[in-house]
Amino acid sequence: MHPKEEKIADKPFRILILGDSLTEGYGVSSVQAYPYLLEKKLNAGRAAEQRSFEVINGGVTGSTTSGGASRIDWYLQDPPDFLIVALGGNDGLRGIAPKKSKENLVIILERARTIEVPVMIAGMKLPPNYGARHLQDFENIFPELAKEFEVPLLPFLLQDVGGYPEMNLPDRIHPNPVGHQKICETVHRHLIKHLPPYSQ
């Protein structure tokens, strides 16, 4: 192995997940939250034979896309090898205009693109009581940005979790430990296809 390659292989492949309470792990322990489970799953896979993985939990309870846009420069001071953007749920629940949410997400994606950090966007959905127009405008943000920036899309972060009482805490908003395990599986399934060749 070339010395430079060996040096790179010695460093973990760092994946930052920029998110809100769903990512931070509100109501569960840090080792039950999906970022920790994802790191464990990646390091148990075949890819870890060549390089280890570190998943950075960039989730902050209550964070909106605006909060993510204000935090991204701090995280990118020490650029990760891959970025997952998992924001927007709080925007939708608070009735923030989808156009404004999209503008904030554009800031994050442009910052990452400037320093050539690969990105995957995680989509979000809202309960049906927010009105058809708002729902459609909100949910369209994520595929539109994935297309505009030519980055992969994870269609719905809470696939098979959102709306399932057995997967959530009593508040029916935040995943319980079982829900986080399901999110981990969903993120891993979409992410692994977009990691470098040694990760396949």
Side-chain angles (χ1 to χ4, degrees):
M1 181 181 286
H2 189 278
K4 186 177 181 181
E5 292 177 346
E6 185 176 5
K7 185 177 180 181
I8 292 174
D10 286 344
K11 295 181 180 179
F13 185 92
R14 299 167 66 246
I15 300 168
L16 167 64
I17 307 179
L18 187 69
D20 49 32
S21 58
L22 301 176
T23 296
E24 184 178 33
Y26 176 90
V28 302
S29 71
S30 59
V31 298
Q32 293 173 321
Y34 82 85
Y36 178 89
L37 299 176
L38 179 63
E39 178 179 292
K40 189 174 179 182
K41 188 174 182 67
L42 287 168
N43 282 316
R46 188 156 50 94
E49 295 175 6
Q50 297 184 50
R51 193 172 180 186
S52 63
F53 292 87
E54 177 187 353
V55 176
I56 303 161
N57 189 331
V60 174
T61 294
S63 181
T64 59
T65 57
S66 175
S70 69
R71 289 188 285 130
I72 190 62
D73 284 340
W74 184 84
Y75 281 113
L76 295 183
Q77 290 179 81
D78 182 15
D81 297 295
F82 198 96
L83 170 64
I84 300 174
V85 180
L87 285 165
N90 286 323
D91 294 55
L93 294 174
R94 296 178 188 180
I96 294 172
K99 181 181 178 181
K100 182 60 180 174
S101 299
K102 186 175 181 180
E103 290 172 355
N104 291 327
L105 290 171
V106 164
I107 291 172
I108 295 169
L109 294 171
E110 286 183 338
R111 294 285 198 279
R113 184 165 63 181
T114 298
I115 58 173
E116 300 182 340
V117 173
V119 179
M120 181 170 74
I121 300 174
M124 289 299 299
K125 297 182 180 181
L126 294 175
N129 57 311
Y130 279 78
R133 178 62 186 272
H134 183 71
L135 282 174
Q136 184 176 21
D137 289 347
F138 175 79
E139 292 177 12
N140 284 346
I141 291 172
F142 308 99
E144 287 173 359
L145 286 173
K147 184 177 181 180
E148 289 172 22
F149 281 82
E150 299 181 324
V151 298
L153 172 70
L154 189 168
F156 183 32
L157 181 68
L158 298 179
Q159 183 68 44
D160 300 323
V161 175
Y164 293 82
E166 68 276 15
M167 293 287 184
N168 291 277
L169 298 173
D171 65 10
R172 298 200 173 192
I173 296 174
H174 297 97
N176 60 24
V178 178
H180 275 280
Q181 291 173 19
K182 177 61 71 173
I183 298 172
C184 170
E185 293 171 8
T186 298
V187 174
H188 182 270
R189 185 172 64 253
H190 286 84
L191 173 66
I192 199 71
K193 297 180 290 187
H194 303 291
L195 295 180
Y198 65 79
S199 302
Q200 304 304 313

